[in-house]
Amino acid sequence: EDDDDWDDFTPSVTLSDSTDESSLDSLLVYATWSKGFKAGGFSRLDEDFLSFDPETVTNYEVGVKLDGLDRRLRLNLALYYMEYDDMQVTVTRQLDDIRVGFGVANAGQATMSGAEIELNYLPNEHWLFSLSADYIDAEYDEFDDLALNPETGLYEPIDRSNEDFGYVPETTLSASGQYNLDTDVGLFSARLAYFYKDEVFIGLTGGLVDEDTAYLDDYQLWSARLVWMSSGDHDVEVALYCDNLTDEDYFGTGNIEFNNQGSRSLVSGIERTYGVQASYRF
């Protein structure tokens, strides 16, 4: 059977083993193999609409899910490796001296490996601590693109396999601590949270990998929230909150392209924001 026929299927196989479900604590170990695809389509990257092929990915994953310490500790850990064929990426192409085409093209082959961890811990009835982190090692094995030669007016192939993945941070991290106190007048809850995101590449055209302006800096954010909920069913809730406590100056997203009419567009992150929220559930 033609290999292309497999693009219409998304098989998945998972093997797992777990402890006795009747126990308060539990351990699940699993291994998964799966394959998926993203449909192709058309983009205006030339005078006419150009087609791009479906993207296929094969994923290998192993992981652990643990509930321990009488269900006061929960740990999820996963390691994965993904192989992409005909990966779809967003690119720009110079159409003439003024116009620029913006759309999707196939990058060829790429691999992505990484680790994910989620941890929740309740040391007692008042405290809850949470942590989640992601690490991604992504690289193109093959990324053949086209660029317009202004002298000949013809598109010429360029190799972009040395670029970083666009909009994929190598590391992200979030952590929080929450204290709950149940009283005669209601439940009080105080939460402090932290978030970190590594730098990301935002280049849409080739030749930008060595440009500092093609990267968004890493940033970290703090937020706080104090909540009171009425006794009983907690129908009434009033919260004081503050996001971006330290008033971090950062860019949330953006893009850059270096065609004849090169441009860079950035979107500022949310400034320090605080306020009061109230709700009633009925």
Side-chain angles (χ1 to χ4, degrees), residues 101-215:
F102 179 91
V104 177
N106 294 108
Q109 296 181 331
T111 55
M112 181 185 298
S113 58
E116 300 176 347
I117 183 172
E118 295 181 1
L119 178 66
N120 293 288
Y121 177 51
L122 292 84
N124 54 48
E125 61 180 356
H126 299 297
W127 286 100
L128 169 62
F129 297 99
S130 299
L131 171 71
S132 65
D134 295 285
Y135 172 78
I136 301 175
D137 180 18
E139 61 182 21
Y140 294 107
D141 302 312
E142 177 185 312
F143 187 174
D144 297 324
D145 198 7
L146 296 174
L148 184 67
N149 186 325
E151 297 181 357
T152 64
L154 300 176
Y155 287 104
E156 297 179 354
I158 57 172
D159 182 4
R160 299 179 60 183
S161 59
N162 64 330
E163 291 186 8
D164 296 317
F165 267 40
Y167 306 97
V168 178
E170 184 177 71
T171 305
T172 57
L173 172 68
S174 63
S176 66
Q178 181 171 314
Y179 182 80
N180 300 315
L181 181 63
D182 205 352
T183 70
D184 293 338
V185 296
L187 175 67
F188 292 88
S189 178
R191 185 174 187 268
L192 181 66
Y194 170 81
F195 175 77
Y196 171 81
K197 183 177 181 179
D198 214 344
E199 69 174 12
V200 294
F201 179 66
I202 59 172
L204 298 179
T205 49
L208 292 170
V209 67
D210 296 322
E211 297 287 338
D212 292 339
T213 54
Y215 291 84

Side-chain angles (χ1 to χ4, degrees), residues 7 35-38 54-58 83-87:
D7 293 343
K35 185 175 181 180
F37 77 98
K38 185 189 297 183
E55 170 188 291
T56 60
V57 58
T58 303
E83 296 178 332
Y84 289 88
D85 285 312
D86 292 322
M87 188 177 193

Side-chain angles (χ1 to χ4, degrees), residues 29-79:
V29 180
Y30 69 91
T32 298
W33 171 86
S34 60
K35 185 175 181 180
F37 77 98
K38 185 189 297 183
F42 297 87
S43 281
R44 189 65 178 270
L45 291 173
D46 202 339
E47 292 298 331
D48 300 316
F49 284 96
L50 299 180
S51 63
F52 56 90
D53 295 329
E55 170 188 291
T56 60
V57 58
T58 303
N59 177 55
Y60 308 88
E61 181 176 337
V62 295
V64 174
K65 297 181 181 293
L66 169 68
D67 283 336
L69 303 179
D70 293 335
R71 294 282 175 96
R72 292 186 293 111
L73 174 69
R74 171 164 292 178
L75 172 66
N76 296 328
L77 175 64
L79 304 174

